[in-house]
Each structure stands twice: as C-alpha cells, then as structure tokens.
Amino acid sequence: MRQTIARILFPLLVLATAAGCTSYSSYRRGEVAAQLGNWDEAVLHYMEALEQDPGNIGYRASLMRAKIRASQEHFKKAQEYRQAEVLERALVELQQAVQLDTTNQYAAAELDNVRQAIAAQRRDPATLQELKEKSRGARPQPPVLNPRSKEPISLNFPEAVSLFEIYQALGKAFGINILFDPNLKDQEIAIDLVDVDAQSALETLMRASNHFYKVLDEHTIIIAADTPQNRRTYEDLVIQTFFLSNSEVKDMMTILRSLVDSRKIAVNEQLNAIILRDTADKVKVAEKIIESNDKSKAEVVIDIELLQINTSKLRDLGVSLSNYRVTQSLDLGGADVPLRFSDLEFLDQSNWVLAIPNFIYSFIKQNGDAQLLARPQLRITDGEKANLTIGDKVPIPLTTFNTSNTVGGNIVPITSFQYQDVGIRIDIEPRVHHNREVTLKLKIEVSNLGEFIEGSGGQRQPIIGTRAIDSVIRL
C-alpha cells in the first residue's frame, strides 16, 4: 500500500514542480522583455505565466502593468501614423491600444475619430445641397483692401497741409477710392514718408491723426474719427460659437475677457460652449486663444506596493555568514589518530586545515515571512488630487459634561464616538510639465494603534502612533 501511494504521489509532485518552474520561466522571460521595452512580448510571457499559475498576485500585477505600457506604445504609434495620414495603420494600432487597456479613454476617442475619418474618405462626393449647407455655416469674412498699384511711393510734406489732401493724393497714387465720414473734421499735418506701400502709409496716417478706416470693397475705404461710437457704427460684428472639449467655460471666459476685451460673451454650460459676438478680428484672435488652451490633460499612472514583513526577520536582509569564526585544526589522516612527539618533525602546511565560513545571501521578499498585502494602481489626471487609504476606522470616544444634564444632583457625562483612519494614507497630486517631467506633491502617513489609557469618564482612549512625510519631488 505504501509503495502504491508513493508511486501515485511522486508523479504528481514532479508535475507540480515542473509547472512551477515553467510558470517562473515564462515570468522571467516577461521581465527581460519588459526591461528591453518589448511590451507586446512581455504581455504574452506574463499571460503564459498566469495561465500556469492563476493564483499568483505578482504575475497578475505585472501583466496589468505590461498591458498599460503596451497600450501607450500602440497609442503613440497611432498618433505618428495619423500625422502621416496613414489612417489604416493608425486604426490597427488604436484597436490594439484599446484591447490592451480598456480604460484608455483617449485611445477609444481617437479610435472613433479615425473610423469617422476613414468613413469620410470612402464616402461619395458631397452633393450640391451639402456644399450649400457647409458654405452657409461658414463664418463671413470682411473684404480685404487690394490697391490697384503695388509700387511704393514717397510722401514728402515738410510744411503742414490739409490732411484730406494727403488722403486724396494717397488714393490717386495707389488707385484707392477714399470716402470721409460726414462728421470728420479736416486738420493740417506735416509728414515725410519714403518708399512705403498703401497699407503702411494708411496705418501711419491713421496713428498720427487718430483716425481709422473701414474697407467697403477691394478698392474703397471710408475714413472716420477713432471713437467708440464710430467703431460700433462701422465695424462689422460676427457671431461664433466655440465648443470646448477639455477646458471649463468659466476659466476660458476669464481669459477671453482679459485678453480680447470683449463684453458680448455668453456661455452654454450644458454644451460647454462659448458664444462670442464681436468684430471679425477679435473673433479670430479668440479662436486662436481657445485652440491654444483647450488641450486635453495628461494622466499619470503610479504603482504602489504594500508589503508586510515580520520584524523578527529583518536581520535576514542582505548578506550573512554561516559561521562567525575561523577555526584551525590538524589533519592526521583520521579522526582517532593520535599525535606523537616523534611526528612533530614531519608536520608541514599540508597537515593544517582552516575552516572559513560560507556567504549566505538572503532575499526577504521570497521568504515565507513576507506577505504582499496590496498592489494598487493610481491613475490621476494632471492637476487633480488622489488619495489611497488602507487600514481601519477606529472609534475614538469623546466624553463631554453638561451641567444641565444631571441625575440626582450628579452630572451625567455624554459619550460620543469619532472615527479616525488608522493604517496607511497616501495623498498624491501630479503636475505634468511640457518636457515630459512630472512633479508630485506627495504626502504619506503611516499610523498604528498602540496601547490604551484611561480617559475622562472612565473611557479607554487609544494611543495612535503616526509617521508622516510631506514632500514635493520631480521625476
């Protein structure tokens, strides 16, 4: 019976040992691939190791981390293909990125955009009605001045002359029709300009006389005094709606009001949109500002590993010796061979034996006294705060005395409980810089429950030991 059981158990033991060795071998190949940056290969090896040892937490965490890094690499390649307008290859890379990391919202959104772009390329040419709708929705542009003559001229008026005459001379030289506002008053001015074009000459005269001009068509302008009333009268106003994808409308409103100096701004918080009514130039400036600031926020992924190690085994960390002494003895050919005085003259170095201790390298993480409690992964948006708490909520009794609450002339204490987190608390706030560096505002607090002391009212109050670090690091 014993021989039969041994014959049954021995193959099972051999199979279990072989499976453990195979899973560890796959895990090691995955680690090598991860160190070389071959994240797709690392994912395959980690999956093999996890299939052979499904209960290994370390294998599962390594597989998750490798999937996220592989997803990021495919997303980066997809962006390069899309910039090169190779949409089919970008589609394949984005599909792999989403399949590896289903929580990658940016990759999922970019995948939808690429699919729509490919569908638009394969779609039939737009009909005439679609082209009309597209042109109807385009923002109107004011006419641009186009002088008939492009040759530079010189204006030489050393003595003060009528400003209207200078305008008329400038109009004849460049082939521009010049009109004047009925309320504009003539004045005398002296000016000397050499080799100037129409645009530069007009701008110089406008600044010198505090005038402005409005382009009526390519060859006609009207000149008026530069006052707020005339600006509102002559300048064309357009309405444009800007839909924000990432920024908040309140923050963008503050920027536009301080830089564009436009008061006719409305917001639609439900659509996260801004409606601006102003001149075409200001609307164009506002569009550039919104495009520059409405950017997607970066994300930071932080791996945290919490280990519990038996404090009595901390001395096993590092290098130790099998024996802390060196011994010397004589080898006479046997254990019970006596040493005679006549043998002393025949002793040499070959008869002496030195016993030197061996070196022992201890790795505590592989020791049975180490336990992996948690290995969470924090995914934080740039500028936002994240906190992780691992521990217990300990009730702390609070006793108060109220003179109005008495029984038989004795004050009755009122006891309430306040719950306090005891364990590990981590607060992180990342900031991603444009040079791909990351600043972390980090606060770590480790607290444990100690002894109890007698408090007021006979309540036992716990002593909570705390160790904390508050720092800012740049990686």
Side-chain angles (χ1 to χ4, degrees), residues 36 62 87 106 131 267 294 298 379 395:
L36 296 176
S62 299
L87 298 182
Y106 295 107
L131 293 176
V267 298
D294 189 25
R379 188 167 183 165

Side-chain angles (χ1 to χ4, degrees), residues 243-262:
F243 295 94
L244 306 181
S245 301
N246 304 283
S247 303
E248 297 293 336
V249 291
K250 295 181 180 179
D251 299 335
M252 194 60 65
M253 283 272 292
T254 304
I255 296 175
L256 292 178
R257 282 177 175 171
S258 60
L259 296 179
V260 182
D261 193 20
S262 178

Side-chain angles (χ1 to χ4, degrees), residues 299-327:
E299 285 190 346
V300 177
V301 179
I302 299 176
D303 293 321
I304 298 175
E305 183 176 283
L306 177 60
L307 292 174
Q308 178 176 287
I309 303 178
N310 190 347
T311 55
S312 63
K313 293 296 182 180
L314 288 179
R315 66 185 64 181
D316 292 342
L317 291 171
V319 182
S320 60
L321 299 175
S322 61
N323 191 5
Y324 291 92
R325 59 183 179 180
V326 178
T327 59

Side-chain angles (χ1 to χ4, degrees), residues 123-173:
R123 192 173 56 186
D124 295 334
T127 62
L128 180 61
Q129 183 65 25
E130 291 176 347
L131 293 176
K132 287 183 178 179
E133 293 293 335
K134 184 177 180 180
S135 62
R136 187 180 297 116
R139 184 174 70 245
Q141 297 293 335
V144 180
L145 183 63
N146 185 19
R148 292 184 177 89
S149 176
K150 304 295 184 179
E151 296 295 329
I153 65 171
S154 298
L155 294 177
N156 186 10
F157 296 96
E159 301 293 336
V161 296
S162 172
L163 184 59
F164 283 8
E165 294 181 2
I166 299 177
Y167 282 141
Q168 294 293 348
L170 189 63
K172 291 179 181 180

Side-chain angles (χ1 to χ4, degrees), residues 33-54:
Q35 293 177 0
L36 296 176
N38 302 327
W39 295 106
D40 289 339
E41 183 180 352
V43 169
L44 295 177
H45 290 311
Y46 287 144
M47 290 179 65
E48 293 178 359
L50 192 60
E51 288 178 359
Q52 296 161 0
D53 189 2

Side-chain angles (χ1 to χ4, degrees), residues 16-31:
T17 305
C21 295
T22 305
S23 63
Y24 183 74
S25 177
S26 301
Y27 174 75
R28 289 300 304 163
R29 288 195 296 269
E31 289 287 297

Side-chain angles (χ1 to χ4, degrees), residues 43 94 98-99 125 158 184 192 223 327 339 362 392 398 408 410:
V43 169
L94 289 172
V98 174
Q99 185 177 4
L184 183 64
D192 186 10
I223 300 175
T327 59
L339 177 62
S362 299
D392 301 320
L398 301 176
N410 297 324

